[in-house]
Amino acid sequence: METIKTIPEMKQWSERARGSHRTIGFVPTMGSLHEGHMSLVQKSVSTCDVTVASIFINPSQFGKNEDLDTYPRNLEGDRRLLETAGVDVLFLPSPQDMYPEGYKTFVTVEGITGHLCGQSRPGFFRGIATVVVKLFNIVRPHTGFFGDKDWQQAAVVETLLRDLNIDATIKRMPIVRDADGLAKSSRNLYLSKDEMTPARSLSRALELARHQVQNGQFSAERIRREIRQLIEKNKAAHIDYISICDPDSFIEQDEIKDESLIALAVHIGKTRLIDNCIVRREKCKE
Amino acid sequence: METIKTIPEMKQWSERARGSHRTIGFVPTMGSLHEGHMSLVQKSVSTCDVTVASIFINPSQFGKNEDLDTYPRNLEGDRRLLETAGVDVLFLPSPQDMYPEGYKTFVTVEGITGHLCGQSRPGFFRGIATVVVKLFNIVRPHTGFFGDKDWQQAAVVETLLRDLNIDATIKRMPIVRDADGLAKSSRNLYLSKDEMTPARSLSRALELARHQVQNGQFSAERIRREIRQLIEKNKAAHIDYISICDPDSFIEQDEIKDESLIALAVHIGKTRLIDNCIVRREKCKE
């Protein structure tokens, strides 16, 4: 596995790969890799000629009081995982090269970023959209791989690629969970032993909601109330949002439709966790 | 000259040109071509292997009360000019293809767009930046050609290409003027016979300012006052701004520096005209 640290070298590598008609798969990450990331890497390695993974803790997507400084870092561990998985290039740009002094240009996606995490974290999706455009212009992948845990992020990326006529598609992969259902996240490393039970309440609440829908409960208000009750049994849990919404527009729904997204963001102590699932009304009619 | 009307066909053409290692020159226009545009086309034809010119009246850069509907159109005349000049492809995308229903993504350049035309025309540079990113992603030029009349626009484009890591450079070309000094502009077609004299006051005011600097007048306030007096002798002229500023940051200057931009925007009746020149303090010391 080659490690590339500068933007011109990365561009040159991609130009050569494209010139020799190899398809480039790209997995952009902030490092501290877990099984969720690795499912993206494996999909890329198995479906594209060459795979580039990037590790870049993108300052422009963190708010002022968020965890940019403490975000977990594990470069040597990450490197071993990527090498073993068959990644061709690890791209490690520096914040100074990505956002040099005098940096001025930002990409915004309107509408869909006004909901869920876009509402809780102002500037978050602007940071995501901007860094994705930059990374895609540098790496020039044919396919980018994104996880469904960050469902809204994947939707934002799909939208901007289409709108800005960027020649790449994205492949979304399902959420990876531990044996107890907790969605894999780099931020799980923040959780103390006492916080594991409250952290698991997110996936348990989604499981409960799914059962309710299967049993014919379609009222978003009632499902939301059940989710709230289950999560708030844990004193360490503070709900940011419980959303039952359209999975493309993120507009809230009064009742479960043919396809609805149930998305949660919950603070467990100082750690903000997200999780989601899709529920379908018609499946329950079977 | 080939005419291409769809985005996928344009992308395919560019992919082929790049694949055969031909350099692509690109002249994005809103049509109604004049000698200013043609100087860009000629430069592209003479310095690049192939030249693409686009005609697209970009709705996203017009304000609500601006002249989108009446903006001059002259497709047949434009086509003849481009063909004669040796352009390889005329790209004519439709507004529906460029901004389909559900379009959501915009590019903004901060700081430098808070001055001059960015202040007078809110949303203007967001529209410019967005369409330039889209057109550059579709046409994939090695070099884009822009005129100095739209000095701030060229600076915005240079900034976003660098910031978003888009692999293209831009070449700026000097303002083309008629025999009386009036800067060539598609909007000159709006001017009535009676408005020609007031319209010419922009370039005459810049000429006056240049003479003053040459004679050692470095006070921005005094130069601005002289410009205002000259232009306001014409009843049809209403000044939008007179700026004496840094040519890169567009921050106003109290006095002429080693390099200063003098930029004007003036309404002549219903027609808004802009013009500018660079003045240099050190030249006056010679």
Side-chain angles (χ1 to χ4, degrees), chain A residues 118-136:
Chain A
Q119 202 160 45
S120 310
R121 304 180 69 185
F124 173 60
F125 283 119
R126 190 179 89 136
I128 296 273
T130 301
V131 82
V132 164
V133 168
K134 286 173 65 65
L135 288 171
F136 273 56

Side-chain angles (χ1 to χ4, degrees), chain B residues 92 121-122 127 283:
Chain B
L92 285 177
R121 304 181 68 187
K283 281 217 170 159

Side-chain angles (χ1 to χ4, degrees), chain B residues 15 22 76 80 96 115 134 162 206 226 233 255:
Chain B
E15 199 60 41
R22 282 174 292 170
E76 282 322 303
R80 277 193 299 276
Q96 293 74 29
H115 310 275
K134 286 172 65 66
R162 187 194 61 216
L206 291 174
E226 295 276 349
K233 275 183 194 157
E255 52 173 35

Side-chain angles (χ1 to χ4, degrees), chain A residues 216-230:
Chain A
Q217 175 58 271
F218 300 140
S219 158
E221 193 189 331
R222 293 205 184 168
I223 296 170
R224 215 180 276 117
R225 198 189 308 148
E226 296 276 349
I227 291 175
R228 181 174 297 279
Q229 278 172 3
L230 189 152

